[in-house]
Structure formats: structure tokens, C-alpha cells
Amino acid sequence: MNEYTLNTNEEPKRKGSILSAVRRLKPLLVSETVQIILAALAIVINSTLTLLGPVIIGHVIDTYIATRDFNGVLLYTGILTAMYCVGFVASYAQTRIMGGVSLRVLYRLRNSIFEKLQDLPVAFFQQNKAGDLISRINNDTDKLGQFFSQSIMQFIGNIFIIIGSAIAILLINFKLGLAALVPAALLLFLSKVLGPWIKRKNAINMKSVGGMSAEIQESLDHFKVVVAFDRRDYFRKSFQRTNEDNYHSAVRAGIANNTFTPVYGFASNLALLIVILYGFNLISASTFTFGLLISFLSYIYRLYDPLRQMAALWTTFQVALAGWDRIHAILQMNSNITILTDTEGVSRLHDKSHPEAVMEFSNVSFTYATDVTVLDKTNFVLDRGKTYALVGPTGGGKTTTASLMARLYDPVEGMVLLNGRDLRTFSAEERAENIGFILQEPFLFSGTVGDNIRYGNPKFATVDNTKLTEVLEQKDLQVVINKFDKGLDTIIENGGDSMSLGQKQLIAFMRALMRAPKLLILDEATANIDTVTEQLLEDILRKLPPETTKVIIAHRLNTIADADTIFFVNSGSIIEAGSMQKAVDLLMHGKRKS
Ligand SMILES: Nc1ncnc2c1ncn2[C@@H]1O[C@H](COP(=O)(O)OP(=O)(O)OP(=O)(O)O)[C@@H](O)[C@H]1O
Ligand SMILES: [Mg+2]
């Protein structure tokens, strides 16, 4: 059941060539093909001009400077100036285009991750820390963005220049060229060997950044508990530890990322020395000219400098890939809240004993990711217009059962049916329209009480507070609204922190009732409300349309006195208790969880 746990493994999952790595990034770039081709063209023009420079200079030295032909020098200076100007424009165009590409990719990527997150089932959010997810959306996408804006074209340009320079020196003098390339070959070999290590260090560092956001989020989310139990020191220390881990992993990543820099400098100097010594011999033997030697040295510089940059670029590439792997892990998650087209189960319910069935649990088993089996092949039917009570010990599985009714989770086995159809075949709108669920821990959004009542209700989305008040009055909910200082305009701050638990429950109550659902589930919905108000709510519930089916979960037995049927939920089973007395008996002496 851990299908929704994101891979936080620091080992790179797939090894492979640059090409396969680039292929992995392809889906991000397909819509930018034209822009990328233009940018690549600009960088190729720029690189070609860069490559032509040394050979022209060599020619000018040997032909014009050697003969002191000032006009020739002037002519070529003009040509070189023109070339440098074109190079400047091409380089500017490339930067601009790729800047745009990068921002658009980032924008789309964040959108699609966020959309994906909206699509994922509740189980996903229980198995992954919000802080880590936020870090993936902010931090990892940023790394990718940097790669696209700054590195990718430089990467292409450098490859072009390196290959061009290598060809140029081999053409000028094959043997001298080969000798000058030896240090470069060693470098390539080294980077091949060290590449996976660098990527691993960076992946560890990213994971650590994610862990740090998760830690911050946890202590901020539960700050009151932290203060009440004087656990600030604990969190301080724990954060210090996480921060320290993060520091060390950043240092290690930094060391890995910078290993190459001095090695490259050394290799480049080595190549220069080889060329000077060997070149001196060639010139002494009159098989080489000064102009050629200067071109040659210039190409050596052109070859090794990008090689050195490639080390840094390669690092950003590895970092971007590690980030992309973490993002991709979210994007490729299969949402299991897919709507099935399967109509198996239709007409299952129309057996004679339950002609009025609204909901049926048919052999439903459910297990959490932690391997806690909460329901084990349970069967029961809810009839239209009836009131059901779910009772049972704490941790018995009442909330889980209710969550399955509202499809917050899908059963591991068996089927939940609404109106004779597999619940999984209903669209999200249809489902929300039919089922109203007041959660045990209601959640409010920042805004007003009115906003929260309208929340997710397309019928009232555009209705103003005056109109909404009228509708609430018709449903006898005015008394509830009066419990708030400013009625529907009462401000809710900080995601509901400014409300008492009872007030939250009242708002959740109105929110659910405004939908006039066919099936209304109340999970301890009045547990934190004073008895007088609770009485009011019960009256309101009684006046709901007669076809409304109600499922009430409560510990206070007086709350369920009205129930037609009482179900006892515990130890994986749901059994009809028959009477209130039997329910009490079961609660007192019933099966204990083994
Ligand atoms: N998100 C979760 N992940 C793993 N296990 C869970 C999760 N939620 C609940 N459980 C476990 O499932 C079992 C049933 O929990 P549930 O919330 O359904 O109980 P309940 O009957 O509603 O209890 P209460 O009366 O306290 O509200 C418990 O053993 C609980 O530890
Ligand atoms: Mg519960």
C-alpha cells in the first residue's frame, strides 16, 4: 500500500549517457522546439565565429605582419571586428530566447505539478511530507530553470567549440594536435568516472533541503503543541541537526562539484607546455611557423577553457537531472481517483430486502499504508431516508468507514456502491453533490464564513451574502449564523485558526447542508458544540427532506438516540447492534482489538 510514497532515495535511479539524460528532459521542451532551434542556431553562429578567430589571426601574422603589410592587417582587423559584432548579437539573442524558454518551462512545470497534486488521492498526502513537496515545487524546479536559462546553450556551444578546436589543431598539425589532446582525453575519462558520484552528492543535498522544509513545516504547523509542552528546545535541537545535515551535505556536494576545477586548470596548462616544447622543436626544424603556433595556442585555450566550464555545466546538468527526477516522481504518480467507466455492480442493490438502498458496502476491505487493516470484508446496506449511527471504540474504524463512503480512499478489496453503482464510476462533481461529509476535524479556508459555506458549491458560487442568508433561513440555519458576530461576513483568518472548534463544526455543518446531499455523513460533527446548540442542529437534521440518508458517528450516545439502525464498528468488522442497549453492551464488553 505504499504506492504513493515518493522516492526519496539518493541513489540515481537510472544511469545512462548524456543522450538518455537529454531524452528524459525532452517532454519539458517539446513545445519550445522552435525557440530552442533558434537559440541553438545563434550559439552555433557564435561558436563558428569564435573558432574562425585564431586561424585568421595566424594567417594575419604569417602573411601580413611578417611582411609588414599594414593594409592587409587593417582589412583583417575590419573583418574580425564585424565577426565579433555578429557574435555579440548572436550571443545576446541566445540568452534572451533561452531566458524566455526557461521561464515558460518553469511556469508550466509548477502548474503541472500543482495540478497533479490536486489530482492525487488523500493517501498520497499522508505518505509524503508537505514540506518536501513544497521544496520540490520551489527549489527543484528552480534548479531546472537555472539549467535551461544559463547552462543548456552554453553546453551546446561549448561542445561545438571543443570539437571544432580539436579538429582545427589536428588539421594544423596532426602529431602536435594529438599530443595536445592527451590531457583532454584524461579529463574525459576522469569525468566519466566521477560523474555518478557528483550526481549522488547533489541528490543527497536536495533530499536534505526537502527534509529541512518538512521539519520547518511540522514545527510551524504544530507550534501551539510545541509551546504547550515546552518542546521548543527539542525542535530547536532537531532543527539544528537537520540544518547541520543539510550543511554537511551541501559541503559535500560543493566539494564534489568543484573537484574538477583545479584538475581542468592543470590539464590546460599541461597542454600549453606540451605545445610550446613540441612547437619549439617544429619551428626550429622549420616545419612550423610562428603564426601557426599562435593559432595553435589560441585553439588550445579555446578547447580547454570550455572543457573547464563543462565541468561546472555538467554539475548544473546533474543537479537539474536530480531535480527533474524528484519532480518527475510526482508527475508520473498515477492518480487512483480515476473515474471508472466500469458499470459492474449496477442493479446489484435491487434485491428485495433493500429496495430503497442508497449505499452498499460489498465485501469491503481497507488497509492503510502503515498496514493497519481497518475493515475486513465488511457488508452492510444503507436505505434511503434512514438514520444510521456508527458507534465503536476509539480507533475502531468509524472515520475510516465514513471516508470510504465519501471516496476519500478506495477500498483495497470489494466495492462501495452508491445508488447501485460503484462509487468509483461517479465523477467528482456527482459524488460531491450526492454525499455531504462533515469531517471530524473540519478545515476552514481563510476568507469569510460566507465564503466557507459556499466553498466547492457550484450552485452558490456567485451568490452574495444577502441571497445566501435567505437560502440559509429557508433551511432554518439562521440560528446557526447568528452564532457568529458578523454573521456571514465574519472573517476567518489563518486557515480557520481564528475560530473555535465548535464554530468550525457549525460552519462545516452549514457547508454540508447547503448541498442538500442525498447522503449526509456527520463524523463527531457536534462533539464540540454546547448542548443547546446541538439540540438546534438535531432539529435542523430532523427537518431535512425525508429522502436524506444520515450517517451519524458519535461517542455521546444521546446524539444517536434517533437512529433507525446502529452499527458497531471494531476489529475490522461492522455489525448491526440491533438496539441501543446492545450497542452499549458491545462498547462495554465487545470484542477488543487483538
Ligand atoms: N491516515 C492513517 N494512516 C494510518 N493509519 C490510520 C490512519 N488513520 C487512521 N488510522 C488507523 O486506523 C484505525 C481506525 O482509525 P479511525 O480514525 O477510523 O478510528 P475511529 O473509529 O474514527 O476513532 P475515533 O473514535 O477516535 O474517531 C486506527 O487504528 C488508526 O490508528
Ligand atoms: Mg474518528
Side-chain angles (χ1 to χ4, degrees):
M1 272 296 284
N2 294 343
E3 59 197 306
Y4 291 111
T5 310
L6 286 173
N7 175 33
T8 49
N9 195 356
E10 52 277 6
E11 294 294 325
K13 259 189 304 184
R14 293 155 288 186
K15 293 192 181 123
S17 62
I18 304 182
L19 270 182
S20 78
V22 170
R23 222 172 288 138
R24 260 191 278 159
L25 295 177
K26 204 173 103 188
L28 288 176
L29 297 172
V30 265
S31 58
E32 300 288 345
T33 315
V34 176
Q35 301 286 322
I36 290 177
I37 290 176
L38 282 179
L41 209 63
I43 197 89
V44 166
I45 291 174
N46 191 28
S47 308
T48 311
L49 295 174
T50 310
L51 282 172
L52 284 176
V55 77
I56 292 177
I57 291 172
H59 174 69
V60 171
I61 292 173
D62 281 345
T63 320
Y64 302 105
I65 294 187
T67 58
R68 297 175 202 280
D69 177 351
F70 184 64
N71 284 339
V73 173
L74 212 58
L75 171 70
Y76 276 94
T77 312
I79 291 175
L80 282 171
T81 310
M83 275 168 50
Y84 293 148
C85 287
V86 174
F88 169 81
V89 172
S91 167
Y92 175 77
Q94 179 275 120
T95 314
R96 234 189 112 137
I97 294 173
M98 285 317 286
V101 168
S102 150
L103 289 178
R104 282 191 297 275
V105 167
L106 213 61
Y107 169 82
R108 277 199 304 268
L109 204 56
R110 288 189 174 144
N111 258 353
S112 45
I113 302 175
F114 198 77
E115 261 166 40
K116 187 75 198 184
L117 287 179
Q118 303 294 315
D119 257 358
L120 287 169
V122 178
F124 173 85
F125 296 94
Q126 286 181 338
Q127 289 168 41
N128 297 288
K129 293 188 174 174
D132 180 60
L133 296 177
I134 293 170
S135 167
R136 285 176 202 240
I137 299 182
N138 279 340
N139 189 39
D140 298 345
T141 50
D142 212 40
K143 294 270 162 47
L144 261 183
Q146 280 172 18
F147 172 68
F148 286 129
S149 66
Q150 293 158 20
S151 317
I152 193 170
M153 282 302 147
Q154 219 180 337
F155 204 82
I156 296 175
N158 279 353
I159 289 180
F160 195 81
I161 289 182
I162 289 168
I163 295 175
S165 304
I167 294 174
I169 56 178
L170 288 173
L171 285 178
I172 295 175
N173 187 307
F174 191 72
K175 273 191 189 164
L176 184 59
L178 272 188
L181 284 178
V182 171
L186 289 176
L187 279 179
L188 284 182
F189 173 71
L190 204 63
S191 60
K192 189 100 187 139
V193 175
L194 292 183
W197 171 65
I198 295 176
K199 187 177 174 195
R200 195 164 55 241
K201 290 293 166 204
N202 281 293
I204 295 175
N205 187 35
M206 279 191 186
K207 185 191 162 198
S208 153
V209 173
M212 197 157 80
S213 350
E215 172 97 19
I216 295 173
Q217 190 233 349
E218 189 165 327
S219 74
L220 292 185
D221 266 6
H222 309 292
F223 201 69
K224 282 187 228 160
V225 186
V226 175
V227 175
F229 286 85
D230 196 20
R231 292 291 272 172
R232 274 182 287 191
D233 258 355
Y234 166 80
F235 265 105
R236 219 173 272 149
K237 280 196 193 114
S238 156
F239 181 75
Q240 218 161 15
R241 252 194 326 269
T242 317
N243 200 8
E244 228 163 76
D245 281 353
N246 182 49
Y247 167 77
H248 290 304
S249 68
V251 168
R252 282 187 206 114
I255 291 175
N257 295 347
N258 291 316
T259 332
F260 276 125
T261 319
V263 180
Y264 274 83
F266 185 74
S268 153
N269 290 335
L270 198 66
L272 283 179
L273 290 179
I274 294 174
V275 170
I276 288 173
L277 286 177
Y278 196 3
F280 174 78
N281 278 333
L282 292 177
I283 292 176
S284 304
S286 297
T287 51
F288 210 51
T289 65
F290 270 112
L292 285 178
L293 184 68
I294 286 174
S295 303
F296 211 93
L297 288 174
S298 191
Y299 278 121
I300 295 290
Y301 174 75
R302 293 263 191 285
L303 182 100
Y304 278 88
D305 193 49
L307 264 183
R308 184 184 53 74
Q309 288 176 22
M310 286 300 265
L313 290 173
W314 185 244
T315 305
T316 55
F317 189 37
Q318 295 295 334
V319 171
L321 271 185
W324 173 231
D325 279 347
R326 281 166 54 81
I327 295 162
H328 190 69
I330 298 182
L331 292 179
Q332 56 93 47
M333 280 266 151
N334 268 326
S335 160
N336 83 338
I337 0 186
T338 38
I339 308 302
L340 301 184
T341 47
D342 163 23
T343 47
E344 190 203 346
V346 169
S347 83
R348 280 177 73 123
L349 271 180
H350 302 302
D351 64 15
K352 292 194 183 71
S353 53
H354 289 283
E356 286 291 305
V358 172
M359 178 156 279
E360 182 189 2
F361 269 45
S362 164
N363 272 323
V364 171
S365 298
F366 183 76
T367 306
Y368 280 109
T370 46
D371 275 344
V372 182
T373 298
V374 185
L375 296 185
D376 188 17
K377 294 202 188 333
T378 52
N379 290 285
F380 65 88
V381 179
L382 306 181
D383 283 334
R384 196 176 318 282
K386 293 259 175 71
T387 301
Y388 295 88
L390 298 188
V391 300
T394 293
K398 302 178 293 297
T399 300
T400 310
T401 308
S403 306
L404 285 161
M405 290 180 186
R407 208 188 169 195
L408 296 192
Y409 306 106
D410 280 337
V412 175
E413 204 192 316
M415 205 189 283
V416 176
L417 299 116
L418 176 69
N419 295 331
R421 254 172 67 196
D422 189 330
L423 192 53
R424 287 170 296 189
T425 60
F426 285 81
S427 72
E429 297 85 40
E430 243 184 316
R431 192 178 66 236
E433 204 182 284
N434 275 289
I435 302 172
F437 189 5
I438 305 179
L439 299 170
Q440 195 167 8
E441 298 153 19
F443 182 79
L444 302 181
F445 296 89
S446 302
T448 63
V449 170
D451 295 338
N452 272 277
I453 294 176
R454 272 186 289 262
Y455 179 75
N457 196 333
K459 256 193 277 174
F460 297 102
T462 52
V463 168
D464 65 11
N465 280 356
T466 333
K467 267 271 173 55
L468 191 61
T469 312
E470 285 171 21
V471 182
L472 287 164
E473 272 169 6
Q474 284 161 19
K475 291 184 182 286
D476 290 322
L477 286 165
Q478 186 59 33
V479 278
V480 182
I481 277 301
N482 291 343
K483 304 266 167 200
F484 295 90
D485 287 351
K486 298 204 173 105
L488 292 181
D489 295 317
T490 311
I491 303 280
I492 295 172
E493 277 171 303
N494 240 344
D497 269 1
S498 58
M499 291 280 136
S500 80
L501 194 50
Q503 287 173 321
K504 283 189 199 174
Q505 291 194 322
L506 290 178
I507 296 170
F509 189 85
M510 292 188 279
R511 186 193 276 165
L513 254 57
M514 286 301 287
R515 289 180 162 273
K518 305 273 180 332
L519 176 66
L520 179 65
I521 307 166
L522 299 96
D523 190 355
E524 295 286 355
T526 56
N528 301 289
I529 292 169
D530 65 80
T531 29
V532 178
T533 315
E534 189 183 12
Q535 203 58 53
L536 282 171
L537 297 188
E538 273 169 27
D539 290 343
I540 293 169
L541 284 179
R542 251 179 241 121
K543 282 188 233 154
L544 285 179
E547 68 273 16
T548 313
T549 309
K550 284 163 271 184
V551 176
I552 299 173
I553 300 174
H555 285 297
R556 282 196 246 165
L557 291 177
N558 66 318
T559 318
I560 56 170
D562 272 355
D564 297 300
T565 305
I566 300 173
F567 285 112
F568 185 74
V569 186
N570 192 27
S571 305
S573 70
I574 300 180
I575 49 173
E576 239 185 273
S579 66
M580 185 84 143
Q581 190 51 47
K582 178 88 186 301
V584 175
D585 281 351
L586 279 167
L587 263 174
M588 308 282 277
H589 318 289
K591 291 188 275 177
R592 286 259 151 260
K593 269 194 133 176
S594 48

